[in-house]
Amino acid sequence: MRDMNEIVGSHDLLLVTLDTLRYDVAAELAASGRTPVLAGLLPGGRWERRHTPGSFTYAAHAAMLAGFLPTPAEPGPHPRLFAAAFPGSETTAEGTWRFAAADLPTGLADAGYHTVCVGGVGFFNKLTPLGSALPSLFAESHWEPGFGVTDPRSLEHQIDRIEQVVARQPADRRLFLLLNVSALHQPNWFHLDGATRDHGDSRASHAAALRYVDRHLERLFAAVRRPTFVIICSDHGTAYGEDGHVGHRIGHEVVWTVPYGEFVLA
């Protein structure tokens, strides 16, 4: 396990959640060379297979922002990178960075980080009390319709904003940035060449959306400062007809199994 006590305070932190990305689709595209940017950064060019802490965006992000990242899909216990200090935790190890707060952004703010959220899906839109709950954990948060699920260029617009955010950060202050990428989430039919609204969303358009994301991640990683510790993962998967299921917030394998990766941009 990586010693996060050496990372926190010396590195910026970037958490990229590829909202709704399925593990099987991510693994297939990586293995076939169709997501070259990700394959070039993930350890061994492969995603790690993990289980999400929640079957939909709000639940998964609430858990992750409390330090409960997706768990390796094999028997544990599995030490966590971040953990709120509380008695009896069986997944807090020597390399775990502990914080005395209810959530990770507050803990990192207490450690001197500026915390920023660039949202994507509706749980980050700040248009309702519920849509404000996750962004309110951060000192600075951003959302606009162009970042959302209906814009075919959503990630490009999000990266535009991130470039502005990073450019104005003082050189002597560390940054924790959450980017919730909405491009994988339904609707995604418009990422598939030749598709129309009548075709609807499918596993193929989901894969096409991941290829779109991969094409623009290089600009994201060029924008962040060095050194940066990056966690990139899905918050949950989604079903496209498996066993009659469509969507998520259900207890199906394609929802609970997610891709995960971490690396340092040095």
Side-chain angles (χ1 to χ4, degrees), residues 52-111:
T52 176
S55 63
F56 69 108
T57 298
Y58 183 81
H61 279 83
M64 288 192 282
L65 292 175
F68 297 94
L69 295 167
T71 305
E74 57 191 32
H78 301 287
R80 288 185 286 140
L81 299 181
F82 311 97
F86 67 92
S89 172
E90 296 183 356
T91 55
T92 300
E94 288 187 7
T96 302
W97 185 74
R98 307 179 193 191
F99 53 93
D103 59 85
L104 179 61
T106 301
L108 288 169
D110 291 344

Side-chain angles (χ1 to χ4, degrees), residues 22-235:
R22 292 168 51 134
Y23 171 79
D24 56 353
V25 172
E28 287 172 14
L29 266 60
S32 62
R34 287 178 288 173
T35 49
V37 174
L38 283 164
L41 291 167
L42 293 169
R46 302 174 65 179
W47 289 101
E48 185 179 348
R49 182 174 178 267
R50 292 202 174 195
H51 289 149
T52 176
S55 63
F56 69 108
T57 298
Y58 183 81
H61 279 83
M64 288 192 282
L65 292 175
F68 297 94
L69 295 167
T71 305
E74 57 191 32
H78 301 287
R80 288 185 286 140
L81 299 181
F82 311 97
F86 67 92
S89 172
E90 296 183 356
T91 55
T92 300
E94 288 187 7
T96 302
W97 185 74
R98 307 179 193 191
F99 53 93
D103 59 85
L104 179 61
T106 301
L108 288 169
D110 291 344
Y113 277 74
H114 181 55
T115 62
V116 181
C117 169
V118 177
V121 304
F123 286 110
F124 294 90
N125 65 20
K126 302 194 289 185
L127 299 177
T128 66
L130 180 56
S132 302
L134 294 172
S136 71
L137 300 177
F138 295 80
E140 180 181 343
S141 61
H142 300 267
W143 187 90
E144 59 186 47
F147 299 174
V149 299
T150 60
D151 195 309
R153 299 182 60 195
S154 58
L155 180 56
E156 296 160 79
H157 301 317
Q158 290 178 304
I159 296 172
D160 290 342
R161 183 62 52 84
I162 287 170
E163 289 174 336
Q164 298 167 11
V165 167
V166 173
R168 62 173 178 262
Q169 296 309 307
D172 61 348
R173 189 171 191 192
R174 287 298 173 194
L175 175 67
F176 170 49
L177 174 64
L178 166 65
L179 169 61
N180 172 249
V181 176
S182 67
L184 282 302
H185 197 285
Q186 296 93 329
N188 54 43
W189 59 265
F190 42 70
H191 289 293
L192 189 62
D193 290 342
T196 67
R197 187 183 302 275
D198 290 340
H199 289 95
D201 301 320
S202 64
R203 194 177 184 278
S205 62
H206 187 83
L210 181 56
R211 295 195 298 272
Y212 160 76
V213 168
D214 189 77
R215 290 196 298 273
H216 295 282
L217 283 178
E218 192 167 28
R219 183 161 72 96
L220 169 66
F221 295 136
V224 300
R225 306 184 301 184
R226 282 7 179 214
T228 293
F229 177 66
V230 180
I231 298 168
I232 184 166
C233 62
S234 175
D235 55 343

